[in-house]
Amino acid sequence: MLVAGFGLLSALGGGGLIWHAVSNSKQQIRNKQFSMELWRNLPADKLFPATIGRQDPDKKQDDPGTEHGWTRVALSSGTSCKAALSGSLATLATQRGCVAAMRATYVDDSGGTAATVAIVTFRDLSAKEDLEEHVRDAQDGQERVVRALAAPGTQWKDAARAGDGGRGVMDLYTPLFVAVTAGPADGRRAGKLPAPWGNRPLEQKADRSAWASTAKGLAETLAARLNSQIPKVGP
C-alpha cells in the first residue's frame, strides 16, 4: 500500500513537471534586440497602417480590424533622417544618433487635412526622452520639424505645414519617436489671416493651433498603436 502511495505521488509529480514544461513552452520571451531594430524587422505598411483612427463602434469581436479617421496616401521608401526631418529636430536627432526616419502621409476623412508622420529610430533608448517637449517648443516658435511628403491628389507641401506634434513610444526597449506635421491638404498657408486680423500675431498663432492639436493627436494615436503592437511581434 505504501509502495502504491509512493507510485501515485511520483506520477503526480511527473505530471506536474510535464504541465510546467508545457506551460513554459507557451511563454513568449521578449527579444529586446528585435524591438531595437523594429524599423528593419517590420515592413513599412505594418509600421504605417493603411488607416488610423477609431475602431468602428459597430464592429463585432470577430470582424477584421478596421480603423477610421485617416487614410494613408503616400509612403516613402527612404530612411534618411536628414531628408525626413527639418529645423532643430533634424539637428538634435543627428546629434543623438538618429538611425532612420521613415515617413508616410495621411489625409483625414474630410479630405481637408494632410499630415506627414515620421517614425524616428535611435540607437540609444534615452535619445527620445525630451523630444516631445522639444517639438512643443518648436511649435511655439513657428518652426516645423517634419518635411512634408507629397501625395497624389493633394497640394501638400512644406509651405502648407501649419502645426506639429510628437510622442515617444512608451515601450522601454523600443527607441522610437513619432513626429507629425499637419496642414491644409489644398496647399494654402495657415496663419495668413486677412485684415483686420492679419497684423495681429496672437490671431495668426491661434489659426495654426488647430493644426498643432491635430498633429499631436495623430502622433499619440500612432505611438500608442506601435506600443500595443510591439509585444505581438518578434521571436
Side-chain angles (χ1 to χ4, degrees), residues 9 14-15 22 24 33 41 53 73 93 118 146 173 177 196 203 207 220-221 231:
L9 289 174
V22 171
N24 284 342
Q33 191 60 39
N41 293 323
V73 292
V146 179
Y173 305 113
F177 181 78
E203 281 82 355
D207 188 47
E220 291 173 352
T221 297

Side-chain angles (χ1 to χ4, degrees), residues 30 35-36 125-126 128 169-175 227 230:
R30 176 63 179 276
S35 296
M36 293 287 288
L125 291 165
S126 64
K128 63 181 180 179
V169 174
M170 295 298 292
D171 184 80
L172 295 176
Y173 305 113
T174 308
N227 194 66
I230 288 166

